[in-house]
Amino acid sequence: MPVYKAPVEDTLFVLKDVLGIEKFNNLPGFADATGDMVDAIVGEAAKLAEEVLFPVNLSGDQEGCTRHDDGSVTTPKGFKEAYQTYREGGWIGLSVPEEFGGQGLPYVLHTAVGEYMSSANMALTMYPGLTSGAIAAILVHGSDEQKSTYLPKMVEGTWTGTMNLTEPHCGTDLGMLRTKAAPQPDGSYKISGQKIFISAGEHDMSENIIHLVLARIEGAPEGTKGISLFIVPKFILNADGTPGTRNGVSCGAIEHKMGIHGNATCVLNYDEATGYLIGAENKGLAAMFVMMNEARLGVGLQGLAISETAYQNAANYARERIQGRALTGPKAPDKKADPIIVHADIRRALLQMRAINEAGRAFSLYSALQSDIAHRSADPAERQKADDILSIMTPVLKGVMTDRGFENAVAAQQVYGGHGYIEEHGMSQYVRDARIAMIYEGANGVQAMDLVGRKLAANGGRAVMAVFKEIGDFCEENRADERLAPFTKALKKGLNDLQAATMWFMQNAMAKPDNAGAGATDYMHLFGLVIQGYMWGRTVKAVHALQDAGDSRTEFLANKLVTARFFMERLMPETALRKARIETGCDTVMALDAAAF
Amino acid sequence: MPVYKAPVEDTLFVLKDVLGIEKFNNLPGFADATGDMVDAIVGEAAKLAEEVLFPVNLSGDQEGCTRHDDGSVTTPKGFKEAYQTYREGGWIGLSVPEEFGGQGLPYVLHTAVGEYMSSANMALTMYPGLTSGAIAAILVHGSDEQKSTYLPKMVEGTWTGTMNLTEPHCGTDLGMLRTKAAPQPDGSYKISGQKIFISAGEHDMSENIIHLVLARIEGAPEGTKGISLFIVPKFILNADGTPGTRNGVSCGAIEHKMGIHGNATCVLNYDEATGYLIGAENKGLAAMFVMMNEARLGVGLQGLAISETAYQNAANYARERIQGRALTGPKAPDKKADPIIVHADIRRALLQMRAINEAGRAFSLYSALQSDIAHRSADPAERQKADDILSIMTPVLKGVMTDRGFENAVAAQQVYGGHGYIEEHGMSQYVRDARIAMIYEGANGVQAMDLVGRKLAANGGRAVMAVFKEIGDFCEENRADERLAPFTKALKKGLNDLQAATMWFMQNAMAKPDNAGAGATDYMHLFGLVIQGYMWGRTVKAVHALQDAGDSRTEFLANKLVTARFFMERLMPETALRKARIETGCDTVMALDAAAF
């Protein structure tokens, strides 16, 4: 049976020692996040994840969701109760403004605890996760009335939320969507059409479900310029704000999926359902992108989350499973064989997971902190810079951490040998669950294209320059630090590759855009390596400072340095390969006729 | 719904034009394999795979196998009938000597058609696949009586075979196995113990099942030196050779696995089952390795097989799914959107699958041809050289083609976006099925250790030197060929990296064996890249010769050159990264305490 223990020590180290969140106490909400408060919140989240969410994870996968003939959906045994505990803990509103029932704490804290929830039970955590996305969209684009009507109930989790984008014939290309919205005399709309792949679309855990739905108002322009966003509650509210009449939206089927069986992925049929416009007419995509960007950070975090729990289980198994002897002679001579963790190849696999997870944790929290600064700073220049950096981090975190998270889950499963292939050990679930994170909220190829096609060039490259400057400055400022030199040197080499690849796009992709497409995925991963290398650089610097100050976490800090060294030795050099691939351009890639594939 | 079309044109090209099997017509069986005969066999195999095996693949995954209370197992609907057709076609005995009912044709042909069978239905093909392995072991180590008793029925497929190695506490480390064999006065043994993960261990498709079982004769030495191999038939044979009394072996459970649901993976309980020693007492491991080596080549082939069918489906989907527009402007202006195959990032993914599949096909058939030479040549020096080369190819093919095959299945699934995650499209099955090939018949880490720990050093490095010489000679002989130069130059660079890494092991792993372990997986993949690069080099040379001779396969040959170029540009450069990782050694990898992971 799998186990899970939230990495509290590492989270607190990243928040306090690497990112230094106490330095941001001029931002609203941060002053409340004192050291003790952070300890308490992270500790409570760990308990919830370990003791409430995790125990129903494997059983939830095996049972899955059930749709009944009346279109209602039952979640797996124990999900409803676990969700109630989650909800009652106030976790959904952790970083939501207090006026809507939230606690107004930093988003970076919401992200820190979110990792634990997804590690413990990704399928279950998606229900409140989608609610958070819907809350974010209503907060930014909703009217005051909409905010006061929907947010408090969503924040307390008695109502949940969904995102309705995809239709059978359109996913990435939302310009083709057909769901219709017919204006009604009372200012509402009648929504009709079919949406697919709607996570948490129907279930038995909340009193109401607030669907955010993209649709086209009759007579609206074709393409993405004619899309509007609507609030469509499962139960239309009574005058007193309580759920009333059942609305014309129903679950036609739930999908038979590879994983996340505990989350109901629904086909939702809208049949003249009552909907309310949110934001401006035909500006639905912009409103949806608020949810989408938040969701992308959340999905990147899922990549880390599954990778972390898969790693923990692989490490345990490698310590317990005895098989064969160490190449250097028996390490457990009293036993029939040595634990397989004596083997360098097993350790290599474990360290690779670990190096990516620890960098990924710093990367996620660093990105969340940029979101806090972008939303809460009083200084417009600081806000803009943080928003620029976040615009780059979003596709990189989503694409890289989900690709790597899946790879790590596969590598963790491999440590189990044949036992990893058997469902009862839980490693198969991690692989199957992690797989979706590479696909939804924009498949990773779409993230790569967003990065090279949109984010790089935006505002004359302002955002990417800000990132390069921050990392370059870090290397420069620490040039004289001899202990740090092996790390900054490797990082600088990676940064040089990244800058050269960027320059190559500037020079070769304007006239020939397929040169960007052919290198997009390699570029996203090259970027990911450099960001992770930067996180390791900052980590090592923090470790040295703590060691110099005689910090008592002796072993924890020493292990950090080993893992950092592993990253720089084994993973960072991949930047040269990625750059070389990018520079081969698109000619070969575009040479075949479509029919020849 | 998924589709499958056997790549007949490519198979024939590799057999005839790249490997030139007609040049081997001095070997027994090869003279019968004339050009027309090969065409006919490959064509018939394609029909069987496409029309008989493939139609029950997805349904077989969804239904799975069922164990009944009496321990009997039912295979999915249609499996029994499909297997009967397979069996009646004489496919199991294609390369088995005629005296045992086979056709005595080259093993390379058996391999060529085996790819199609696994592509079409891997779970089903495992039943006859395990039979082939058991046949090989009995052929080499069985007594004349055992051969005449068991082989004809197994060759005709009315009886199937299994391999029984793993026990709950031992997989890789067979020295720990506990299954006991008690000698009986009549020369037989009573076998008692439990075996797990026994593929095709119990089912309803054959009249008898011939289990080959590793067990320890009472009083035998501890460890691997006390293991013997036994034939344990499900039904003990009557004096006339027909199946008689039910033997004391029963299926205690079937595993709930991630994939290959159509194959019954059994817990087999042996309770004083009658068994017959095969080969010498305490020499069971050597006998089992005959099966194992054949099985490893077969598993490598499964990696290719799933990758090929996944690729075909991804290419079809990419041609059909319309979504968005090409970066260079609409390519299908009459439609609402362009097919996604217009995107460079999609093409890159498809070409990567294709470049690995085509190289993998040549690699598999090249290895099978070495097996033919090793077993059939009249020249001892030629036999030894082929056997040496095969000893290297076996772990590399198994490890690399299954790792890459899985990666490709994942990449193919990714092309489908959200639809790839839904079981009905079949892409999830390919990923789940491909996953086991990285694990069974020796997990890929074990293959890597076999390569660096055993195969490299054997006979003073004779085998690896033979491989390096063959590839080095190819580069040297073609130095003056300007058209080939871009390919041989890239190949030579890869070979240099491989030789340098080999030298590094020679110099650094003797005194410090963990240096070998820490680099083993990278070395296996480095080796795989060079072999695949060599296959591409020979392919390009064959293409040029055919083009010069005015061969009519114009488009096929032109596409080969594009794919070869892709391989050399994008995949071959990975050798430098692999070498760099190897050379970082084991110090960082071994630094952490086991408890620190």
Side-chain angles (χ1 to χ4, degrees), chain A residues 171 173 319 323-324 345 413-414 421 432 435 521 581 594, chain B residues 171 173 319 323-324 345 413 421 432 435 438 521 570 594:
Chain A
D173 186 358
R319 268 189 293 264
Q323 206 77 188
D345 187 58
Q413 183 186 32
Q414 189 74 13
Y421 201 62
R432 292 184 288 97
R435 184 66 186 90
T521 291
R581 285 190 189 145
Chain B
D173 185 358
R319 269 189 293 265
Q323 205 77 188
D345 186 57
Q413 182 186 31
Y421 200 63
R432 291 183 291 96
R435 184 68 187 87
M438 298 158 72
T521 291
R570 299 238 173 193

PDB file of all heavy atoms in Angstrom, chain A residues 171 173 319 323-324 345 413-414 421 432 435 521 581 594, chain B residues 171 173 319 323-324 345 413 421 432 435 438 521 570 594:
ATOM      1  N   GLY A 171     -11.085  22.118 -28.976  1.00  0.00           N
ATOM      2  CA  GLY A 171     -10.418  22.154 -27.685  1.00  0.00           C
ATOM      3  C   GLY A 171      -9.498  23.356 -27.662  1.00  0.00           C
ATOM      4  O   GLY A 171      -9.859  24.437 -27.206  1.00  0.00           O
ATOM      5  N   ASP A 173      -8.660  25.184 -30.172  1.00  0.00           N
ATOM      6  CA  ASP A 173      -9.147  26.238 -31.055  1.00  0.00           C
ATOM      7  C   ASP A 173     -10.564  26.639 -30.668  1.00  0.00           C
ATOM      8  O   ASP A 173     -11.547  26.225 -31.276  1.00  0.00           O
ATOM      9  CB  ASP A 173      -9.116  25.704 -32.493  1.00  0.00           C
ATOM     10  CG  ASP A 173      -9.481  26.787 -33.506  1.00  0.00           C
ATOM     11  OD1 ASP A 173      -9.794  27.922 -33.086  1.00  0.00           O
ATOM     12  OD2 ASP A 173      -9.453  26.479 -34.703  1.00  0.00           O
ATOM     13  N   ARG A 319      14.333   0.941  -0.124  1.00  0.00           N
ATOM     14  CA  ARG A 319      14.951   0.653   1.184  1.00  0.00           C
ATOM     15  C   ARG A 319      14.503  -0.699   1.730  1.00  0.00           C
ATOM     16  O   ARG A 319      15.232  -1.333   2.483  1.00  0.00           O
ATOM     17  CB  ARG A 319      14.542   1.727   2.204  1.00  0.00           C
ATOM     18  CG  ARG A 319      15.494   2.887   2.302  1.00  0.00           C
ATOM     19  CD  ARG A 319      15.129   3.794   3.483  1.00  0.00           C
ATOM     20  NE  ARG A 319      13.852   4.460   3.257  1.00  0.00           N
ATOM     21  CZ  ARG A 319      13.741   5.686   2.766  1.00  0.00           C
ATOM     22  NH1 ARG A 319      14.809   6.381   2.482  1.00  0.00           N
ATOM     23  NH2 ARG A 319      12.556   6.228   2.572  1.00  0.00           N
ATOM     24  N   GLN A 323      17.127  -7.699  -2.661  1.00  0.00           N
ATOM     25  CA  GLN A 323      17.293  -8.386  -3.951  1.00  0.00           C
ATOM     26  C   GLN A 323      18.733  -8.174  -4.413  1.00  0.00           C
ATOM     27  O   GLN A 323      19.170  -7.048  -4.618  1.00  0.00           O
ATOM     28  CB  GLN A 323      16.325  -7.746  -4.982  1.00  0.00           C
ATOM     29  CG  GLN A 323      15.901  -8.644  -6.110  1.00  0.00           C
ATOM     30  CD  GLN A 323      14.843  -9.664  -5.683  1.00  0.00           C
ATOM     31  OE1 GLN A 323      14.503 -10.538  -6.434  1.00  0.00           O
ATOM     32  NE2 GLN A 323      14.336  -9.591  -4.468  1.00  0.00           N
ATOM     33  N   GLY A 324      19.499  -9.227  -4.512  1.00  0.00           N
ATOM     34  CA  GLY A 324      20.882  -9.104  -4.996  1.00  0.00           C
ATOM     35  C   GLY A 324      21.813  -8.450  -3.985  1.00  0.00           C
ATOM     36  O   GLY A 324      21.429  -8.149  -2.847  1.00  0.00           O
ATOM     37  N   ASP A 345      22.348   2.598  -9.857  1.00  0.00           N
ATOM     38  CA  ASP A 345      21.330   2.901 -10.875  1.00  0.00           C
ATOM     39  C   ASP A 345      19.987   3.268 -10.231  1.00  0.00           C
ATOM     40  O   ASP A 345      19.259   4.128 -10.738  1.00  0.00           O
ATOM     41  CB  ASP A 345      21.160   1.698 -11.815  1.00  0.00           C
ATOM     42  CG  ASP A 345      20.237   2.014 -12.991  1.00  0.00           C
ATOM     43  OD1 ASP A 345      20.545   2.969 -13.730  1.00  0.00           O
ATOM     44  OD2 ASP A 345      19.215   1.322 -13.153  1.00  0.00           O
ATOM     45  N   GLN A 413       7.687   4.103 -10.574  1.00  0.00           N
ATOM     46  CA  GLN A 413       7.032   2.810 -10.817  1.00  0.00           C
ATOM     47  C   GLN A 413       8.069   1.758 -11.204  1.00  0.00           C
ATOM     48  O   GLN A 413       7.994   0.601 -10.778  1.00  0.00           O
ATOM     49  CB  GLN A 413       6.009   2.980 -11.948  1.00  0.00           C
ATOM     50  CG  GLN A 413       5.199   1.737 -12.274  1.00  0.00           C
ATOM     51  CD  GLN A 413       4.311   1.933 -13.503  1.00  0.00           C
ATOM     52  OE1 GLN A 413       4.653   2.663 -14.431  1.00  0.00           O
ATOM     53  NE2 GLN A 413       3.162   1.271 -13.508  1.00  0.00           N
ATOM     54  N   GLN A 414       9.061   2.175 -11.962  1.00  0.00           N
ATOM     55  CA  GLN A 414      10.097   1.244 -12.433  1.00  0.00           C
ATOM     56  C   GLN A 414      10.889   0.651 -11.269  1.00  0.00           C
ATOM     57  O   GLN A 414      11.307  -0.509 -11.333  1.00  0.00           O
ATOM     58  CB  GLN A 414      11.032   1.997 -13.409  1.00  0.00           C
ATOM     59  CG  GLN A 414      12.028   1.118 -14.141  1.00  0.00           C
ATOM     60  CD  GLN A 414      11.396   0.270 -15.234  1.00  0.00           C
ATOM     61  OE1 GLN A 414      10.253   0.483 -15.627  1.00  0.00           O
ATOM     62  NE2 GLN A 414      12.130  -0.720 -15.710  1.00  0.00           N
ATOM     63  N   TYR A 421       3.587  -2.671 -11.609  1.00  0.00           N
ATOM     64  CA  TYR A 421       2.574  -2.791 -12.669  1.00  0.00           C
ATOM     65  C   TYR A 421       1.229  -3.269 -12.126  1.00  0.00           C
ATOM     66  O   TYR A 421       0.240  -3.280 -12.844  1.00  0.00           O
ATOM     67  CB  TYR A 421       3.097  -3.779 -13.721  1.00  0.00           C
ATOM     68  CG  TYR A 421       2.455  -3.644 -15.090  1.00  0.00           C
ATOM     69  CD1 TYR A 421       2.583  -2.467 -15.835  1.00  0.00           C
ATOM     70  CD2 TYR A 421       1.737  -4.693 -15.649  1.00  0.00           C
ATOM     71  CE1 TYR A 421       2.014  -2.357 -17.094  1.00  0.00           C
ATOM     72  CE2 TYR A 421       1.162  -4.590 -16.917  1.00  0.00           C
ATOM     73  CZ  TYR A 421       1.310  -3.415 -17.630  1.00  0.00           C
ATOM     74  OH  TYR A 421       0.744  -3.307 -18.881  1.00  0.00           O
ATOM     75  N   ARG A 432      -0.931   6.978 -14.150  1.00  0.00           N
ATOM     76  CA  ARG A 432      -2.154   7.278 -14.915  1.00  0.00           C
ATOM     77  C   ARG A 432      -2.728   8.646 -14.561  1.00  0.00           C
ATOM     78  O   ARG A 432      -3.231   9.363 -15.406  1.00  0.00           O
ATOM     79  CB  ARG A 432      -3.185   6.157 -14.683  1.00  0.00           C
ATOM     80  CG  ARG A 432      -2.751   4.824 -15.299  1.00  0.00           C
ATOM     81  CD  ARG A 432      -3.810   3.733 -15.160  1.00  0.00           C
ATOM     82  NE  ARG A 432      -3.944   3.250 -13.788  1.00  0.00           N
ATOM     83  CZ  ARG A 432      -4.858   3.671 -12.905  1.00  0.00           C
ATOM     84  NH1 ARG A 432      -5.770   4.556 -13.275  1.00  0.00           N
ATOM     85  NH2 ARG A 432      -4.876   3.191 -11.682  1.00  0.00           N
ATOM     86  N   ARG A 435      -0.560  11.508 -16.010  1.00  0.00           N
ATOM     87  CA  ARG A 435      -0.608  11.644 -17.477  1.00  0.00           C
ATOM     88  C   ARG A 435      -1.515  12.784 -17.931  1.00  0.00           C
ATOM     89  O   ARG A 435      -1.205  13.471 -18.913  1.00  0.00           O
ATOM     90  CB  ARG A 435      -1.059  10.298 -18.081  1.00  0.00           C
ATOM     91  CG  ARG A 435      -1.069  10.272 -19.609  1.00  0.00           C
ATOM     92  CD  ARG A 435       0.331  10.392 -20.154  1.00  0.00           C
ATOM     93  NE  ARG A 435       0.380  10.508 -21.601  1.00  0.00           N
ATOM     94  CZ  ARG A 435       0.335  11.670 -22.240  1.00  0.00           C
ATOM     95  NH1 ARG A 435       0.244  12.810 -21.577  1.00  0.00           N
ATOM     96  NH2 ARG A 435       0.414  11.703 -23.548  1.00  0.00           N
ATOM     97  N   THR A 521       9.054  22.878 -28.245  1.00  0.00           N
ATOM     98  CA  THR A 521       9.084  21.982 -27.091  1.00  0.00           C
ATOM     99  C   THR A 521      10.478  21.921 -26.486  1.00  0.00           C
ATOM    100  O   THR A 521      10.635  21.948 -25.252  1.00  0.00           O
ATOM    101  CB  THR A 521       8.572  20.578 -27.492  1.00  0.00           C
ATOM    102  OG1 THR A 521       7.166  20.684 -27.752  1.00  0.00           O
ATOM    103  CG2 THR A 521       8.791  19.558 -26.387  1.00  0.00           C
ATOM    104  N   ARG A 581      19.216  21.095 -30.949  1.00  0.00           N
ATOM    105  CA  ARG A 581      18.026  20.667 -31.695  1.00  0.00           C
ATOM    106  C   ARG A 581      17.271  21.860 -32.273  1.00  0.00           C
ATOM    107  O   ARG A 581      16.828  21.845 -33.407  1.00  0.00           O
ATOM    108  CB  ARG A 581      17.094  19.894 -30.773  1.00  0.00           C
ATOM    109  CG  ARG A 581      17.567  18.502 -30.466  1.00  0.00           C
ATOM    110  CD  ARG A 581      16.438  17.771 -29.753  1.00  0.00           C
ATOM    111  NE  ARG A 581      16.874  16.501 -29.226  1.00  0.00           N
ATOM    112  CZ  ARG A 581      16.440  15.965 -28.089  1.00  0.00           C
ATOM    113  NH1 ARG A 581      15.540  16.598 -27.360  1.00  0.00           N
ATOM    114  NH2 ARG A 581      16.868  14.794 -27.691  1.00  0.00           N
ATOM    115  N   ALA A 594       1.927  15.518 -45.761  1.00  0.00           N
ATOM    116  CA  ALA A 594       1.082  15.025 -44.659  1.00  0.00           C
ATOM    117  C   ALA A 594       0.695  13.563 -44.897  1.00  0.00           C
ATOM    118  O   ALA A 594       0.656  12.751 -43.972  1.00  0.00           O
ATOM    119  CB  ALA A 594      -0.168  15.894 -44.529  1.00  0.00           C
TER     120      ALA A 594
ATOM    121  N   GLY B 171      12.664 -11.712  -7.677  1.00  0.00           N
ATOM    122  CA  GLY B 171      12.452 -11.510  -9.098  1.00  0.00           C
ATOM    123  C   GLY B 171      13.809 -11.529  -9.786  1.00  0.00           C
ATOM    124  O   GLY B 171      14.254 -12.559 -10.288  1.00  0.00           O
ATOM    125  N   ASP B 173      16.686 -11.436  -8.371  1.00  0.00           N
ATOM    126  CA  ASP B 173      17.649 -12.247  -7.616  1.00  0.00           C
ATOM    127  C   ASP B 173      17.104 -13.672  -7.447  1.00  0.00           C
ATOM    128  O   ASP B 173      16.575 -14.035  -6.406  1.00  0.00           O
ATOM    129  CB  ASP B 173      17.866 -11.592  -6.248  1.00  0.00           C
ATOM    130  CG  ASP B 173      18.952 -12.300  -5.445  1.00  0.00           C
ATOM    131  OD1 ASP B 173      19.506 -13.314  -5.920  1.00  0.00           O
ATOM    132  OD2 ASP B 173      19.231 -11.818  -4.329  1.00  0.00           O
ATOM    133  N   ARG B 319      -3.826  14.071 -39.131  1.00  0.00           N
ATOM    134  CA  ARG B 319      -4.330  14.433 -40.473  1.00  0.00           C
ATOM    135  C   ARG B 319      -5.810  14.786 -40.452  1.00  0.00           C
ATOM    136  O   ARG B 319      -6.281  15.554 -41.286  1.00  0.00           O
ATOM    137  CB  ARG B 319      -4.131  13.253 -41.440  1.00  0.00           C
ATOM    138  CG  ARG B 319      -2.826  13.261 -42.198  1.00  0.00           C
ATOM    139  CD  ARG B 319      -2.818  12.180 -43.271  1.00  0.00           C
ATOM    140  NE  ARG B 319      -2.826  10.848 -42.688  1.00  0.00           N
ATOM    141  CZ  ARG B 319      -1.725  10.123 -42.463  1.00  0.00           C
ATOM    142  NH1 ARG B 319      -0.549  10.602 -42.792  1.00  0.00           N
ATOM    143  NH2 ARG B 319      -1.814   8.928 -41.917  1.00  0.00           N
ATOM    144  N   GLN B 323      -8.031  22.013 -36.190  1.00  0.00           N
ATOM    145  CA  GLN B 323      -7.932  22.835 -34.983  1.00  0.00           C
ATOM    146  C   GLN B 323      -6.878  23.911 -35.241  1.00  0.00           C
ATOM    147  O   GLN B 323      -5.716  23.586 -35.486  1.00  0.00           O
ATOM    148  CB  GLN B 323      -7.465  21.933 -33.815  1.00  0.00           C
ATOM    149  CG  GLN B 323      -7.856  22.401 -32.445  1.00  0.00           C
ATOM    150  CD  GLN B 323      -9.331  22.111 -32.128  1.00  0.00           C
ATOM    151  OE1 GLN B 323      -9.845  22.531 -31.155  1.00  0.00           O
ATOM    152  NE2 GLN B 323     -10.025  21.388 -32.999  1.00  0.00           N
ATOM    153  N   GLY B 324      -7.279  25.147 -35.258  1.00  0.00           N
ATOM    154  CA  GLY B 324      -6.313  26.230 -35.452  1.00  0.00           C
ATOM    155  C   GLY B 324      -5.789  26.305 -36.875  1.00  0.00           C
ATOM    156  O   GLY B 324      -6.232  25.580 -37.771  1.00  0.00           O
ATOM    157  N   ASP B 345       5.445  21.401 -34.441  1.00  0.00           N
ATOM    158  CA  ASP B 345       5.633  20.674 -33.179  1.00  0.00           C
ATOM    159  C   ASP B 345       4.989  19.278 -33.246  1.00  0.00           C
ATOM    160  O   ASP B 345       5.520  18.319 -32.680  1.00  0.00           O
ATOM    161  CB  ASP B 345       5.024  21.472 -32.013  1.00  0.00           C
ATOM    162  CG  ASP B 345       5.328  20.828 -30.659  1.00  0.00           C
ATOM    163  OD1 ASP B 345       6.527  20.647 -30.352  1.00  0.00           O
ATOM    164  OD2 ASP B 345       4.384  20.505 -29.926  1.00  0.00           O
ATOM    165  N   GLN B 413      -0.086   9.415 -27.830  1.00  0.00           N
ATOM    166  CA  GLN B 413      -1.283   9.734 -27.054  1.00  0.00           C
ATOM    167  C   GLN B 413      -1.440  11.250 -26.934  1.00  0.00           C
ATOM    168  O   GLN B 413      -2.541  11.786 -27.001  1.00  0.00           O
ATOM    169  CB  GLN B 413      -1.160   9.103 -25.666  1.00  0.00           C
ATOM    170  CG  GLN B 413      -2.356   9.305 -24.755  1.00  0.00           C
ATOM    171  CD  GLN B 413      -2.114   8.776 -23.340  1.00  0.00           C
ATOM    172  OE1 GLN B 413      -0.976   8.794 -22.851  1.00  0.00           O
ATOM    173  NE2 GLN B 413      -3.156   8.289 -22.691  1.00  0.00           N
ATOM    174  N   TYR B 421      -6.793  10.578 -23.667  1.00  0.00           N
ATOM    175  CA  TYR B 421      -6.899  10.119 -22.272  1.00  0.00           C
ATOM    176  C   TYR B 421      -8.142   9.251 -22.062  1.00  0.00           C
ATOM    177  O   TYR B 421      -8.316   8.647 -21.010  1.00  0.00           O
ATOM    178  CB  TYR B 421      -6.954  11.347 -21.361  1.00  0.00           C
ATOM    179  CG  TYR B 421      -6.580  11.089 -19.912  1.00  0.00           C
ATOM    180  CD1 TYR B 421      -5.295  10.663 -19.561  1.00  0.00           C
ATOM    181  CD2 TYR B 421      -7.503  11.274 -18.890  1.00  0.00           C
ATOM    182  CE1 TYR B 421      -4.952  10.435 -18.236  1.00  0.00           C
ATOM    183  CE2 TYR B 421      -7.165  11.049 -17.555  1.00  0.00           C
ATOM    184  CZ  TYR B 421      -5.890  10.631 -17.238  1.00  0.00           C
ATOM    185  OH  TYR B 421      -5.540  10.414 -15.919  1.00  0.00           O
ATOM    186  N   ARG B 432      -0.442   1.883 -21.652  1.00  0.00           N
ATOM    187  CA  ARG B 432      -0.488   0.934 -20.526  1.00  0.00           C
ATOM    188  C   ARG B 432       0.140  -0.409 -20.898  1.00  0.00           C
ATOM    189  O   ARG B 432       0.834  -1.032 -20.089  1.00  0.00           O
ATOM    190  CB  ARG B 432      -1.935   0.768 -20.045  1.00  0.00           C
ATOM    191  CG  ARG B 432      -2.481   2.032 -19.365  1.00  0.00           C
ATOM    192  CD  ARG B 432      -3.896   1.868 -18.812  1.00  0.00           C
ATOM    193  NE  ARG B 432      -4.909   1.740 -19.852  1.00  0.00           N
ATOM    194  CZ  ARG B 432      -5.406   0.591 -20.311  1.00  0.00           C
ATOM    195  NH1 ARG B 432      -5.010  -0.573 -19.795  1.00  0.00           N
ATOM    196  NH2 ARG B 432      -6.309   0.588 -21.255  1.00  0.00           N
ATOM    197  N   ARG B 435       3.979  -0.179 -21.193  1.00  0.00           N
ATOM    198  CA  ARG B 435       4.680   0.042 -19.924  1.00  0.00           C
ATOM    199  C   ARG B 435       5.321  -1.235 -19.385  1.00  0.00           C
ATOM    200  O   ARG B 435       6.413  -1.195 -18.808  1.00  0.00           O
ATOM    201  CB  ARG B 435       3.703   0.627 -18.892  1.00  0.00           C
ATOM    202  CG  ARG B 435       4.339   0.985 -17.547  1.00  0.00           C
ATOM    203  CD  ARG B 435       5.294   2.137 -17.679  1.00  0.00           C
ATOM    204  NE  ARG B 435       6.047   2.416 -16.467  1.00  0.00           N
ATOM    205  CZ  ARG B 435       7.187   1.818 -16.150  1.00  0.00           C
ATOM    206  NH1 ARG B 435       7.718   0.904 -16.944  1.00  0.00           N
ATOM    207  NH2 ARG B 435       7.820   2.146 -15.039  1.00  0.00           N
ATOM    208  N   MET B 438       9.025  -2.461 -20.314  1.00  0.00           N
ATOM    209  CA  MET B 438      10.209  -1.890 -19.646  1.00  0.00           C
ATOM    210  C   MET B 438      10.537  -2.653 -18.369  1.00  0.00           C
ATOM    211  O   MET B 438      11.599  -2.453 -17.782  1.00  0.00           O
ATOM    212  CB  MET B 438       9.950  -0.423 -19.285  1.00  0.00           C
ATOM    213  CG  MET B 438       9.695   0.474 -20.474  1.00  0.00           C
ATOM    214  SD  MET B 438       8.779   1.980 -20.000  1.00  0.00           S
ATOM    215  CE  MET B 438      10.048   2.880 -19.094  1.00  0.00           C
ATOM    216  N   THR B 521      22.547   3.096 -17.148  1.00  0.00           N
ATOM    217  CA  THR B 521      21.372   3.404 -17.975  1.00  0.00           C
ATOM    218  C   THR B 521      21.728   4.374 -19.094  1.00  0.00           C
ATOM    219  O   THR B 521      21.289   4.210 -20.238  1.00  0.00           O
ATOM    220  CB  THR B 521      20.229   3.941 -17.086  1.00  0.00           C
ATOM    221  OG1 THR B 521      19.759   2.850 -16.276  1.00  0.00           O
ATOM    222  CG2 THR B 521      19.074   4.470 -17.914  1.00  0.00           C
ATOM    223  N   ARG B 570      18.436  15.418 -34.719  1.00  0.00           N
ATOM    224  CA  ARG B 570      17.743  15.638 -33.443  1.00  0.00           C
ATOM    225  C   ARG B 570      18.022  14.584 -32.383  1.00  0.00           C
ATOM    226  O   ARG B 570      17.894  14.866 -31.197  1.00  0.00           O
ATOM    227  CB  ARG B 570      16.228  15.660 -33.695  1.00  0.00           C
ATOM    228  CG  ARG B 570      15.822  16.768 -34.632  1.00  0.00           C
ATOM    229  CD  ARG B 570      14.837  17.668 -33.960  1.00  0.00           C
ATOM    230  NE  ARG B 570      14.557  18.827 -34.791  1.00  0.00           N
ATOM    231  CZ  ARG B 570      13.928  19.907 -34.350  1.00  0.00           C
ATOM    232  NH1 ARG B 570      13.518  19.963 -33.105  1.00  0.00           N
ATOM    233  NH2 ARG B 570      13.720  20.928 -35.140  1.00  0.00           N
ATOM    234  N   ALA B 594      21.026   5.968   2.875  1.00  0.00           N
ATOM    235  CA  ALA B 594      19.778   5.369   2.386  1.00  0.00           C
ATOM    236  C   ALA B 594      18.572   6.008   3.082  1.00  0.00           C
ATOM    237  O   ALA B 594      17.526   6.251   2.468  1.00  0.00           O
ATOM    238  CB  ALA B 594      19.784   3.860   2.613  1.00  0.00           C
TER     239      ALA B 594
END
